[in-house]
Amino acid sequence: MRTNANFFLSLQQGIQASHSKLCISGPDFPELTYLELEQLTAQTANLLKKLDLKAGARVLAQTPKTPLAIALYLACLRAGVIYVPLNNGYTIDELDYFIEDTEPELFVCSPAQREKLEGLFNKHNISSVLELDEAGHGSLLDSLKDLTHEHEVEPVDTDDVAVIIYTSGTTGKPKGAMLSHGNLDNNSRSLYSLWGWQKDDVLIHALPIFHIHGLFVALHAALLGGSCMLFLSRFDTKQLITLLPQATVLMGVPTFYTRLLKDDALAPALCNNMRLFVSGSAPLLEETFKEFSERSGHQILERYGMSETGILASNPLNNERIPGTVGFALPDVTYRVCDDEGNVLSHGSIGTLQVKGPNVFKGYWRNPEKTKQEFKQDYFITGDLVNEADDGRISIVGRNKDLIISGGFNVYPKEIELVMDDFETIVESAVVGVSHPDFGEAVIAIVVLSDPGGDFNEQKMINMLKDQLASYKVPKKIIIQNELPRNTMGKVQKNLLREEYGKLFI
Ligand code: AMP
């Protein structure tokens, strides 16, 4: 006999307690109440049943961001079907791999994408394909017409897979991280209480929904509390500036904040109603934190997490938020800091963060080898290099893969970036290692200048850096670019920089 640990039941409590309230509002879509959302999820779950999708089947969704896409996700949860969100930017070759890897029984995409993918659907014998366009119309919506609002939530175990999230991965094929109903339940409840969600919160939801940030972190807490979401199809600075006075919470990536700072309209009066600005998915620069606090009257709360684990650490809601740190580990997260061999390091040393807890994923989909490699005993190896202060605050110093070994010395890029970013002439920098005939790897820096037409002198900068850093850490070359390449979550794509400049010295 299965227990019913379906995560949808937790969300349903929030949804049902708020039936008469608005769930979706904002300029991009027609308003939707919580009652209507629940009905839509029931109808969509009934559609999955009609299409003969059993518990454990996979639905691949490469959809535009619309309220119906949210209903599709929730319907999969309630039907015990595994939801697999896909980045809208994936190419046909990448999709070929995802389809082969997951063997979906249903694929949902935009009408334009369907035309491009017809060949793939035939190749993989995908029998059910439904369309969802940017306005929320298409065959998915049409198929719901005669379906009832009654649906019994499918019983599942805590450990049953709810969602597979493909992680970006800088090398090799993407891996599908299997998140269970229990994982989602644990992390969303932790964040709900940690960030003090209130019934009358109004969330600006401007993140994509193919990533944990938009799909889990922002959405789950809002649904648990029955909050209204100003649900935007994409981030737009002007639109956010208009909506801030009506909102109380914003979940964002650092780029949201740097873009808001560029708008002269950003001022404390605009943010009077706001109680919480959250940032994550990529490091928030200390100067962004400081500038934003001066311009808005609010300190951004930075948190840290990853697809495989959900959120792991957060700055506090009520106590001091320290820029450059990601705060304290979440209550249920057990962690240790280890060297490359997996030995636990003494407190305060820089090492790889390993974590365990009810938020940590089950493993990689159909990839037991990779799963085995990435766990040490029952700890998951995050690959992030951290430093823990005496009071338990965690700072991310870099990623294991970012580590540069030059002439036998370890160089942590973050350390050099912090020094470089302190110069007025430099807006931001990315430090990477590239092959070098003598040192094995050489440190180089790619920078964005505050005055691109000015008289930046590379050698002078190198000399100044030598004043602050051991010379093995100082970049051998500083390259100027108009901007750093970033993915949709705002993360600097260092792999692209490594590729571009990989042959500088060889
Ligand atoms: P993803 O699985 O795409 O969410 O990427 C997770 C990775 O993003 C983590 O392993 C970190 O390297 C990075 N990350 C997430 N949040 C932060 C943060 N606040 N500061 C620095 N890096 C972060």
Side-chain angles (χ1 to χ4, degrees):
M1 175 70 190
R2 306 179 73 125
T3 53
N4 202 350
N6 195 312
F7 173 52
F8 183 77
L9 291 173
S10 298
L11 297 176
Q12 200 174 29
Q13 283 177 15
I15 294 173
Q16 287 183 342
S18 311
H19 265 175
S20 58
K21 282 177 62 185
L22 273 185
C23 170
I24 302 261
S25 180
D28 290 353
F29 300 102
E31 290 182 339
L32 194 78
T33 64
Y34 268 97
L35 173 63
E36 287 165 333
L37 177 76
E38 199 188 2
Q39 291 174 341
L40 258 185
T41 65
Q43 283 179 303
T44 315
N46 284 325
L47 173 66
L48 298 177
K49 207 183 207 172
K50 192 172 153 193
L51 294 172
D52 205 26
L53 267 74
K54 306 268 183 324
R58 274 80 56 204
V59 170
L60 253 60
Q62 194 189 33
T63 62
K65 183 182 172 186
T66 63
L68 188 52
I70 295 294
L72 173 66
Y73 161 55
L74 298 173
C76 288
L77 288 178
R78 71 185 289 171
V81 163
I82 301 174
Y83 184 73
V84 190
L86 296 172
N87 190 316
N88 299 97
Y90 283 140
T91 61
I92 293 192
D93 282 354
E94 285 165 322
L95 291 171
D96 190 11
Y97 166 74
F98 295 124
I99 294 175
E100 176 139 351
D101 202 37
T102 52
E103 298 180 274
E105 288 183 31
L106 170 64
F107 196 104
V108 185
C109 60
S110 68
Q113 188 68 344
R114 185 191 186 140
E115 275 180 31
K116 290 192 208 141
L117 297 181
E118 213 55 65
L120 270 192
F121 297 146
N122 291 336
K123 173 178 168 192
H124 293 282
N125 283 325
I126 308 240
S127 48
S128 300
V129 178
L130 290 170
E131 294 172 10
L132 175 60
D133 70 15
E134 295 220 343
H137 299 136
S139 52
L140 174 60
L141 184 66
D142 299 342
S143 317
L144 303 181
K145 272 193 191 115
D146 302 320
L147 297 171
T148 121
H149 296 158
E150 304 300 317
H151 175 268
E152 197 148 326
V153 177
E154 177 74 19
V156 301
D157 285 333
T158 315
D159 213 26
D160 283 344
V161 181
V163 178
I164 296 174
I165 299 260
Y166 278 92
T167 62
S168 21
T170 42
T171 52
K173 293 275 188 203
K175 303 155 288 182
M178 297 185 282
L179 279 312
S180 67
H181 284 261
N183 293 150
L184 302 185
D185 202 57
N186 172 269
N187 211 233
S188 50
R189 283 175 189 276
S190 290
L191 294 176
Y192 183 75
S193 81
L194 213 63
W195 292 344
W197 277 85
Q198 296 154 15
K199 277 206 300 285
D200 50 1
D201 266 327
V202 176
L203 168 75
I204 298 185
H205 194 305
L207 291 159
I209 53 167
F210 51 72
H211 187 269
I212 65 154
H213 200 163
L215 188 65
F216 299 164
V217 185
L219 181 75
H220 290 166
L223 297 181
L224 280 173
S227 303
C228 175
M229 283 185 278
L230 299 168
F231 195 74
L232 305 176
S233 53
R234 55 184 58 81
F235 175 88
D236 177 86
T237 311
K238 283 278 171 246
Q239 213 174 31
L240 247 77
I241 293 280
T242 317
L243 293 175
L244 276 173
Q246 305 163 39
T248 64
V249 182
L250 172 68
M251 299 268 165
V253 290
T255 336
F256 281 19
Y257 296 103
T258 50
R259 289 193 192 162
L260 282 170
L261 280 169
K262 282 192 187 139
D263 198 305
D264 291 340
L266 182 68
L270 206 66
C271 309
N272 272 345
N273 201 35
M274 287 292 296
R275 70 168 188 88
L276 188 60
F277 288 95
V278 179
S279 174
S281 290
L284 180 76
L285 295 178
E286 286 191 38
E287 78 194 44
T288 310
F289 176 92
K290 288 189 181 135
E291 217 186 310
F292 195 82
S293 126
E294 281 158 20
R295 293 273 306 282
S296 71
H298 290 266
Q299 294 197 328
I300 299 170
L301 182 152
E302 184 171 10
R303 81 346 170 241
Y304 151 72
M306 55 198 304
S307 305
E308 287 93 335
T309 63
I311 301 305
L312 289 165
S314 167
N315 267 281
L317 180 68
N318 295 318
N319 292 324
E320 195 186 3
R321 298 175 194 163
I322 301 187
T325 84
V326 292
F328 303 97
L330 260 54
D332 289 339
V333 175
T334 307
Y335 63 100
R336 59 189 192 187
V337 180
C338 296
D339 67 13
D340 290 346
E341 278 73 50
N343 305 307
V344 180
L345 294 168
S346 60
H347 190 88
S349 315
I350 291 176
T352 304
L353 182 74
Q354 299 190 357
V355 293
K356 68 174 177 178
N359 55 312
V360 176
F361 76 134
K362 279 178 69 127
Y364 295 109
W365 171 255
R366 292 182 176 166
N367 203 337
E369 270 309 299
K370 198 77 200 160
T371 305
K372 211 167 131 207
Q373 272 170 28
E374 310 243 341
F375 279 85
K376 177 97 182 171
Q377 289 132 356
D378 47 352
Y379 282 82
F380 171 63
I381 307 168
T382 63
D384 289 313
L385 296 169
V386 302
N387 190 1
E388 190 190 359
D390 286 343
D391 63 0
R393 286 181 194 260
I394 296 169
S395 302
I396 315 282
V397 186
R399 295 215 73 186
N400 227 344
K401 286 174 211 122
D402 281 350
L403 178 70
I404 303 165
I405 305 181
S406 189
F409 291 109
N410 283 4
V411 180
Y412 298 102
K414 183 73 190 282
E415 187 192 352
I416 298 141
E417 287 160 8
L418 283 176
V419 173
M420 296 192 78
D421 293 350
D422 258 349
F423 285 92
E424 281 215 327
T425 41
I426 293 177
V427 177
E428 56 175 344
S429 58
V431 169
V432 294
V434 293
S435 299
H436 191 280
D438 197 14
F439 301 113
E441 276 188 301
V443 179
I444 64 161
I446 295 86
V447 295
V448 177
L449 298 180
S450 51
D451 177 14
D455 59 346
F456 179 83
N457 182 307
E458 183 187 2
Q459 197 49 52
K460 230 161 113 188
M461 174 58 67
I462 288 178
N463 291 342
M464 286 193 288
L465 288 173
K466 280 189 180 158
D467 287 337
Q468 294 192 46
L469 295 165
S471 54
Y472 72 89
K473 295 183 188 170
V474 174
K476 305 231 168 329
K477 186 109 199 82
I478 301 177
I479 295 149
I480 300 165
Q481 283 197 178
N482 290 336
E483 55 180 18
L484 299 177
R486 290 197 137 82
N487 68 13
T488 37
M489 299 312 296
K491 250 189 271 293
V492 175
Q493 292 171 299
K494 289 197 170 176
N495 53 323
L496 297 184
L497 296 172
R498 280 190 212 101
E499 261 169 44
E500 186 164 357
Y501 300 112
K503 297 209 162 69
L504 265 182
F505 299 102
I506 50 170

